Amino acid sequence: MEELKMYNSLSRQKEIFKPITPGYVGMYVCGPTVYSNVHLGNCRTFISFDIIYRYLKYLGYKVRYVRNITDAGHLEGDRDEGDDKFSKKARLEQLEPMEIVQKYTLGFHKVMELFNTLPPTIEPTATGHISEQIEMIKHILANGYAYEVNGTVYFDVEKYNQEKPYGILTNRKLEDLLEGTRELGGQDEKRGRLDFALWIKAKPEHLMQWPSPWGMGFPGWHIECSAMSCKYLGKQFDIHGGGMDLAATHHTNEIAQSEACYHEKPVNYWIHTNMLTVNGARMSKTAGNGFLPHQLFTGGHPLLDKAYSPMTVRFFMLQTHYRSTLDFSNEALQAAEKGLKRLWDAYEILENLPAGNEIKEAMDPELDKRCIDLLDEFDASMNDDFNTARVLAAMFELVPVINSLKSGQIALNSLSTGTLEQLRKKFSIYLTDVFGLKNDKEADSGRLEGVLQLLIQIRKEARAKKDFATSDKIRNELQQQGIVLKDEKDGSVSWSAV
Ligand code: AMP
Ligand code: ZN
């Protein structure tokens, strides 16, 4: 088996993946900030990591997959100022901050389920780990990399940078980073322009605050991920991921915090997903160009000309490599819908191929070899930094062969039984297990069954009330649609399609 290579943002190259403990992978992905609905851009990142998680499992690794919920500590301003987003939303919606958290966490889970992403093995929350964050801040202070001013604790970036390169993740020198930031004003408590808050003093009216050695307050955003990843994966773990927009600040600060606390490099492989864009601009909560997943599923967005199923949207994302930008468009979604249908049709053909006599030697060895080569490309492409786009290209090259097997243009014995079996197996494993796709046709038939059972129930109730006009109407109209109801002796009703 070829080795798995992944692009590491830290070294800026593809590296062969070697987990710290053979056979086990620890992976941490920054989760959503749950003060509003996730948009499709957020979903792209979580779906990309779902594929990575699924593929690691497919390779046989036992994966501890931690994805947090940020439910505290996000301020509106980018310089540790302003209201926190949860309190603001809570006031706006006249709810408790924790009701906001609950509402949007449930919504997030629902969306993730619709996209058929696997749940992480641990989903810790920032508010559930306040004491771990406080402990870590105490350590950083004791090690001399932080300072307290009036109940707020800041990380001392310049001090840290004297020993370790602060901008290592994005390959930038401190001088360059400083150039891009505003001068400190007279009001500022910070010593350095790049310093960031580890703990923030709460104003009395602040809705979410906790006691700490520095008084009542709440944690800064970055410390939660350092504290929770360390708690569940150790001081050093294999993979840390998130969207590319997190690298320059959030992840840069995470590295600095962990190193300042434990003097160890926290993460071996940093994986960053590229952005989903709309007309070339990054989809974001603040820019207001975010599509909500349900707007796609119902077609309820001015830029959409119809509804698309969650699986079409998931497939649309898989057609582009996770490190490339992906621009959202109607045309691309339409093409994805058609492409996905072609793949499921091919899958069904393979599932229903008649079992013939065992063919050891293919009658068309050239074609047989071509099929095997294309099948080998599935794993080879995934081993090359999870290149889902290339797997799909190989799948689409196989589709005409599969279609011709059905039409008889290619005789079944052109391929060996072993090759046919591999085709069937690989299509099935890749579509369902690795890519996490579900057949919409099957989902549709499940829905149809539900609707039929509802009609059967209404008919039963009508008959019980001697409302034969309604019960006959249901029976006759269904018959016109080719569905025949049959009243069984035991009082139940069965149906068949004619
Ligand atoms: P947030 O809830 O804003 O903290 O974001 C959750 C995740 O979505 C983070 O990993 C972000 O990097 C990622 N993200 C935000 N916007 C986009 C986008 N337009 N495309 C892809 N990922 C995004
Ligand atoms: Zn994080």
Side-chain angles (χ1 to χ4, degrees):
M1 179 93 177
E2 256 183 85
E3 280 167 312
L4 169 63
K5 280 199 219 110
M6 52 181 83
Y7 183 87
N8 190 348
S9 319
L10 197 59
S11 64
R12 279 162 283 283
Q13 58 191 6
K14 284 184 199 164
E15 292 176 14
I16 292 174
F17 178 60
K18 286 206 177 63
I20 295 168
T21 310
Y24 290 82
V25 179
M27 175 162 91
Y28 186 95
V29 172
C30 292
T33 312
V34 287
Y35 69 95
S36 64
N37 288 311
V38 282
H39 58 66
L40 210 62
N42 306 133
C43 295
R44 181 187 187 201
T45 286
F46 299 129
I47 289 172
S48 299
F49 284 103
D50 183 54
I51 299 288
I52 291 173
Y53 176 42
R54 284 170 178 272
Y55 190 64
L56 290 168
K57 279 159 62 100
Y58 164 84
L59 291 181
Y61 287 111
K62 196 166 176 339
V63 187
R64 180 174 291 171
Y65 172 22
V66 185
R67 187 183 65 208
N68 69 302
I69 294 279
T70 296
D71 59 352
H74 251 233
L75 296 185
E76 286 181 295
D78 56 357
R79 285 161 58 92
D80 301 321
E81 82 276 352
D83 206 351
D84 96 284
K85 291 176 177 172
F86 298 94
S87 303
K88 185 170 178 196
K89 197 65 182 270
R91 283 200 192 92
L92 223 67
E93 296 196 15
Q94 295 188 325
L95 294 170
E96 269 292 310
M98 268 304 168
E99 284 179 299
I100 294 292
V101 165
Q102 184 73 7
K103 176 177 165 183
Y104 292 111
T105 303
L106 289 177
F108 169 62
H109 286 162
K110 183 80 204 150
V111 167
M112 288 293 100
E113 207 179 297
L114 284 170
F115 278 125
N116 202 28
T117 65
L118 299 173
T121 55
I122 305 178
E123 192 173 53
T125 61
T127 55
H129 296 77
I130 298 293
S131 59
E132 286 84 351
Q133 297 178 69
I134 290 176
E135 278 312 301
M136 202 165 173
I137 298 168
K138 278 176 21 192
H139 256 92
I140 298 173
L141 271 166
N143 289 349
Y145 297 98
Y147 55 93
E148 188 214 331
V149 188
N150 278 332
T152 293
V153 183
Y154 293 102
F155 189 91
D156 189 338
V157 171
E158 282 176 48
K159 162 95 194 291
Y160 173 82
N161 192 67
Q162 282 161 13
E163 291 157 39
K164 303 237 162 88
Y166 171 72
I168 190 167
L169 190 57
T170 49
N171 199 21
R172 298 214 286 165
K173 292 205 171 67
L174 198 72
E175 302 79 70
D176 302 335
L177 292 171
L178 279 167
E179 239 169 58
T181 50
R182 277 179 277 158
E183 292 286 344
L184 287 177
Q187 306 283 315
D188 272 296
E189 298 173 333
K190 295 178 188 179
R191 290 184 196 157
R193 278 186 272 167
L194 291 168
D195 295 358
F196 57 91
L198 298 170
W199 185 263
I200 301 162
K201 181 194 168 101
K203 296 195 188 97
E205 69 274 17
H206 199 94
L207 292 173
M208 294 167 97
Q209 46 178 299
W210 292 265
S212 80
W214 316 286
M216 292 302 287
F218 55 96
W221 168 33
H222 317 297
I223 194 73
E224 71 175 88
C225 289
S226 290
M228 294 191 284
S229 61
C230 176
K231 172 157 180 167
Y232 297 111
L233 299 171
K235 289 175 186 156
Q236 210 171 28
F237 57 95
D238 299 301
I239 300 175
H240 193 318
M244 262 179 198
D245 57 319
L246 299 186
T249 309
H250 183 52
H251 292 161
T252 291
N253 291 348
E254 269 191 56
I255 295 179
Q257 290 167 158
S258 297
E259 290 252 13
C261 189
Y262 304 118
H263 303 292
E264 269 183 65
K265 172 178 106 166
V267 176
N268 285 342
Y269 303 85
W270 281 93
I271 298 185
H272 288 107
T273 53
N274 212 327
M275 297 290 107
L276 181 71
T277 56
V278 189
N279 297 323
R282 182 189 144 198
M283 190 180 280
S284 86
K285 282 176 197 165
T286 37
N289 63 352
F291 277 69
L292 296 182
H294 81 259
Q295 292 178 312
L296 270 127
F297 308 154
T298 58
H301 191 287
L303 279 179
L304 288 173
D305 54 11
K306 70 190 255 319
Y308 294 96
S309 76
M311 288 304 110
T312 298
V313 180
R314 187 175 168 106
F315 181 73
F316 156 72
M317 293 183 181
L318 297 183
Q319 284 181 308
T320 301
H321 186 238
Y322 78 86
R323 277 196 295 117
S324 305
T325 52
L326 170 60
D327 201 50
F328 181 89
S329 78
N330 254 309
E331 296 71 41
L333 279 165
Q334 271 164 21
E337 193 173 61
K338 285 203 188 103
L340 183 56
K341 185 176 176 309
R342 281 179 68 211
L343 288 185
W344 279 123
D345 288 347
Y347 164 88
E348 272 171 28
I349 293 172
L350 290 170
E351 291 292 309
N352 297 317
L353 276 184
N357 294 332
E358 164 106 2
I359 313 275
K360 287 217 169 67
E361 298 263 333
M363 295 297 280
D364 187 342
E366 208 176 300
L367 179 67
D368 193 272
K369 178 163 183 320
R370 193 156 75 84
C371 289
I372 292 290
D373 288 347
L374 284 168
L375 286 173
D376 285 347
E377 269 196 36
F378 291 15
D379 288 2
S381 304
M382 285 302 279
N383 283 336
D384 184 12
D385 196 28
F386 312 102
N387 199 328
T388 52
R390 259 183 28 214
V391 178
L392 289 173
M395 279 186 149
F396 279 120
E397 271 199 58
L398 283 163
V399 167
V401 178
I402 297 165
N403 289 340
S404 302
L405 287 173
K406 186 185 177 201
S407 69
Q409 268 170 304
I410 296 179
L412 269 187
N413 62 6
S414 306
L415 304 178
S416 76
T417 311
T419 303
L420 275 177
E421 184 51 22
Q422 267 211 56
L423 255 177
R424 199 189 60 73
K425 244 171 123 173
K426 271 274 165 89
F427 253 73
S428 165
I429 288 176
Y430 259 82
L431 283 179
T432 57
D433 295 348
V434 179
F435 288 169
L437 294 162
K438 282 194 295 195
N439 197 343
D440 281 337
K441 226 157 112 184
E442 278 169 22
D444 284 350
S445 74
R447 272 200 289 272
L448 177 66
E449 178 67 35
V451 173
L452 269 173
Q453 289 307 329
L454 179 68
L455 285 171
I456 288 171
Q457 187 58 31
I458 294 172
R459 176 170 170 265
K460 222 175 178 176
E461 285 163 13
R463 277 161 65 121
K465 285 190 272 178
K466 303 215 179 322
D467 175 6
F468 297 113
T470 302
S471 75
D472 288 350
K473 185 171 170 121
I474 291 174
R475 181 198 198 96
N476 295 340
E477 302 241 334
L478 280 176
Q479 197 152 7
Q480 277 188 13
Q481 301 290 327
I483 289 169
V484 177
L485 299 186
K486 185 166 173 239
D487 294 305
E488 304 287 354
K489 286 201 185 89
D490 63 0
S492 66
V493 179
S494 64
W495 65 271
S496 56
V498 291

